[in-house]
Amino acid sequence: MAEAHQKQHDYHIIDPSPWPFTGAVGALVMAIGGIAFMRYLSGGSLEFFGSNIANPWLFFIGLVIVLYTMVGWWTDVVKEAHEGYHTPVVSLHLRYGMMMFIASEVMFFVAWFWAFFDAAIFADEAANVARLEHTGGHWPPVGIEVLDPMHLPLYNTIILLLSGTAVTWAHHSLLHNKREGLIVGLIITVVLGALFSSVQAYEYIHAPFGFKDSIYGATFFMATGFHGFHVLIGTIFLLVCLLRAAAGDFTPKQHFGLEAAAWYWHFVDVVWLFLFFSIYVWASWGADIVHG
């Protein structure tokens, strides 16, 4: 009888899990809460079954549910890996899933690049549609002073490139079973990721234009801001990998969590290079640049 219950295949049939349901509920609550939050900030109202739900709390309740789901779900995945359920077939499919996720992220950023270049190439039309000030047929719009691409943006470019080198070093150290190189490489990557976010926050605070000032400001902050958010997520991802590595997790043959984090970080690096050369460098040609 015991032999009849032994697994005779390479697939992992998971036990019933609450996480897909809680994740869906959290995402729905967070989406509705996001709309309610924006209505609250604009002084408006949002009627839902006869009640005004325009407040910030619904969004944060949904966010807590989503975060709780992520921690619980990924904890289960790590536990399954330790129990030997991540066979070569399962590991391959996990990699396929990560590839599809990154592909969806690529298309997400394509949308923001499209918006920026559409506004840049058809400046007047974009400004008229957005009901903003006339651009004067120029990009950036007349009167907009842009950031010096050779100052903080270049500094952040160097930071991200170095961080990509560090995470690659960490990965290769693990492949050669060098735990010290793995941990040191991850520490350097996490520190550089935090430094990038700090520099970008400083840049935003001292930017000579605002989100609402022009179509340039709107497209600039949406594209670079979402990238900054991805850097923050990637830094947390790598920090978790660092804690797991320090606890003895990951082996040269089984380390999908670290590999996925490295893929995600390299994706963030590549997106930044496109942002740097298009939004910072290309869009600053002929514009008034704020130095210092």
Side-chain angles (χ1 to χ4, degrees):
M1 291 295 293
E3 293 181 357
H5 293 284
Q6 290 181 356
K7 188 172 67 171
Q8 302 296 327
H9 54 79
D10 289 328
Y11 295 92
H12 176 210
I13 309 302
I14 62 174
D15 296 327
S17 172
W19 305 126
F21 175 75
T22 59
V25 171
L28 177 62
V29 173
M30 190 168 65
I32 297 174
I35 299 172
F37 197 0
M38 288 184 281
R39 288 292 184 89
Y40 170 80
L41 292 175
S42 63
S45 63
L46 180 63
E47 296 295 326
F48 191 75
F49 290 103
S51 300
N52 180 22
I53 62 171
N55 63 75
W57 305 114
L58 197 61
F59 171 79
F60 290 108
I61 291 172
L63 179 61
V64 168
I65 296 174
V66 169
L67 292 176
Y68 177 73
T69 300
M70 294 166 68
V71 172
W73 201 337
W74 290 334
T75 299
D76 285 352
V77 173
V78 172
K79 181 181 178 182
E80 291 162 3
H82 288 166
E83 293 174 350
Y85 288 110
H86 286 186
T87 64
V89 172
V90 174
S91 296
L92 178 63
H93 292 169
L94 288 172
R95 285 169 171 78
Y96 284 158
M98 190 65 191
M99 291 177 186
M100 293 176 66
F101 170 69
I102 291 177
S104 71
E105 291 280 70
V106 169
M107 298 312 298
F108 177 82
F109 277 100
V110 164
W112 298 118
F113 279 108
W114 190 305
F116 184 84
F117 281 110
D118 181 68
I121 297 172
F122 305 102
D124 285 341
E125 289 82 350
N128 291 334
V129 170
R131 298 179 182 178
L132 297 171
E133 293 183 2
H134 196 69
T135 64
H138 299 281
W139 190 261
V142 175
I144 294 292
E145 293 182 315
V146 301
L147 297 166
D148 184 0
M150 296 296 111
H151 189 221
L152 293 181
L154 178 61
Y155 181 62
N156 260 352
T157 301
I158 296 172
I159 290 174
L160 272 191
L161 291 177
L162 290 175
S163 70
T165 303
V167 76
T168 301
W169 172 36
H171 186 204
H172 280 273
S173 295
L174 176 61
L175 293 177
H176 293 86
N177 205 23
K178 297 179 180 178
R179 307 292 300 185
E180 182 179 353
L182 166 64
I183 294 175
V184 172
L186 286 175
I187 290 175
I188 293 173
T189 308
V190 169
V191 170
L192 290 175
L195 180 59
F196 177 95
S197 298
S198 300
V199 172
Q200 189 170 47
Y202 179 87
E203 178 185 80
Y204 278 10
I205 293 172
H206 295 85
F209 52 85
F211 186 91
K212 299 179 180 180
D213 292 345
S214 66
I215 188 67
Y216 175 84
T219 53
F220 172 89
F221 282 111
M222 290 302 290
T224 60
F226 269 115
H227 175 269
F229 174 73
H230 282 72
V231 170
L232 179 61
I233 295 299
T235 303
I236 296 173
F237 197 174
L238 289 165
L239 178 60
V240 172
C241 288
L242 171 60
L243 296 176
R244 291 184 60 192
D249 277 5
F250 303 132
T251 66
K253 291 185 178 181
Q254 190 175 54
H255 54 270
F256 170 72
L258 175 63
E259 194 171 355
W263 288 359
Y264 187 84
W265 197 251
H266 289 312
F267 159 74
V268 168
D269 285 350
V270 172
V271 171
W272 175 257
L273 290 177
F274 280 99
L275 284 170
F276 175 70
F277 286 110
S278 59
I279 294 181
Y280 284 98
V281 177
W282 175 77
S284 67
W285 290 349
D288 294 329
I289 297 177
V290 175
H291 297 279

